[in-house]
Amino acid sequence: LPSSMGGANGKVVYIDTEGTFRPERIRQIAEAKGVSPSDAMDNIVYARCYTSDHLEQLLVEAAGLMVNDEDRFALLVVDSIMGGFRVDYSGRGELADRQQKLARVMNKLQKVSEEFNVAVVLSNQVMADPGGGCAFMPSYPKPVGGHILAHFSTTRVMLRKGRGEQRVAKIYDSPCLPESESIFEIYNGGVRNGGD
C-alpha cells in the first residue's frame, strides 16, 4: 500500500503458525481501498510454519528474499510467535529449552528488523495465570513466552473484545508511549476508529 494511503510502500512476509491467514480478507480490504486485489496478494510472501525449527528456517529464507528481491520489504508478521513452540515443547520440564530456542528466534527477528529496516509484528497467545489471583480478585491473562518475549519486544499491545463489534487495543509496555487504550472496529474495509 503506498504511503499516501497509509501504507509502508513495501512487501510483507507473513509467517503463519496457526493456519489463520485468509487471502479472501486481503482481497476484501484491497477492494475497499481501491487497490487491485491481485496486486495486494502479489506483495505478500506467505509461508505456513509448523514447528519452531521450521520458523528458524523460514526466517533465514525471509532474510534471503529481502537481500535478493528488487522490491523493498516493509513488514514481517509472525502469527503467532508461540504456535510452533507449543507444538515442540510441553510442560515445565522443557521450559528452559523452549526459552533458549525462543531467545534464538527473537534474536534472528531483531537482526532481520535492523538489517533490512522492516517492522516486525508478532501476535501471541495469552493464558490464565494460575497463581495470579486469589478467591476474590480476578486473574488477568498473561502473554505466553515469559520474560524472553517481553524483553525482546519494543512495544506490546494487548487486544481484547469490547462492546458489540468493538475491540480495545491497550499499550501494555512501550519505551516511548504512555499506557493507554484505543477502541477500534474491524469491518469489511479493514480497521477503523471505534467511534466512526
Side-chain angles (χ1 to χ4, degrees):
L1 198 59
S3 314
S4 61
M5 298 177 74
N9 204 30
K11 289 187 170 186
V12 176
V13 173
Y14 192 104
I15 300 174
D16 184 3
T17 68
E18 298 187 344
T20 55
F21 180 77
R22 298 289 176 259
E24 60 273 12
R25 183 71 176 126
I26 301 298
R27 289 185 189 99
Q28 186 181 43
I29 294 169
E31 286 172 358
K33 299 276 186 204
V35 175
S36 160
S38 61
D39 287 350
M41 290 302 298
D42 287 345
N43 283 299
I44 299 172
V45 177
Y46 172 82
R48 179 72 166 96
C49 178
Y50 297 97
T51 66
S52 57
D53 287 334
H54 192 201
L55 178 57
E56 281 191 293
Q57 177 187 349
L58 289 171
L59 291 176
V60 170
E61 290 177 22
L65 280 175
M66 291 175 191
V67 165
N68 296 324
D69 203 295
E70 299 163 3
D71 298 318
R72 184 178 95 72
F73 281 82
L75 178 64
L76 189 154
V77 176
V78 180
D79 181 22
S80 129
I81 186 66
M82 294 305 295
F85 291 92
R86 289 185 124 182
V87 169
D88 294 342
Y89 302 95
S90 61
R92 293 198 179 271
E94 296 181 319
L95 184 61
D97 292 337
R98 182 191 83 175
Q99 293 303 88
Q100 287 177 355
K101 179 79 164 270
L102 177 59
R104 283 196 305 272
V105 167
M106 294 300 291
N107 189 274
K108 284 182 180 173
L109 282 165
Q110 191 172 44
K111 286 179 180 175
V112 167
S113 174
E114 292 170 358
E115 186 171 338
F116 300 106
N117 195 30
V118 296
V120 174
V121 174
L122 309 174
S123 72
N124 193 18
Q125 301 148 344
V126 294
M127 66 177 184
D129 181 6
C134 55
F136 55 87
M137 297 276 296
S139 174
Y140 295 101
K142 289 177 57 173
V144 176
H147 294 295
I148 299 289
L149 200 53
H151 290 301
F152 271 99
S153 302
T154 304
T155 299
R156 295 187 293 160
V157 178
M158 183 172 279
L159 305 176
R160 64 179 164 82
K161 188 147 175 46
R163 292 186 179 140
E165 296 302 312
Q166 294 182 336
R167 304 292 186 268
V168 179
K170 179 180 181 181
I171 295 176
Y172 190 77
D173 184 31
S174 176
C176 58
L177 298 169
E179 190 173 299
S180 62
E181 291 185 351
S182 179
I183 297 172
F184 67 97
E185 293 176 349
I186 299 170
Y187 75 112
N188 288 347
V191 177
R192 64 181 169 205
N193 287 333
D196 291 350

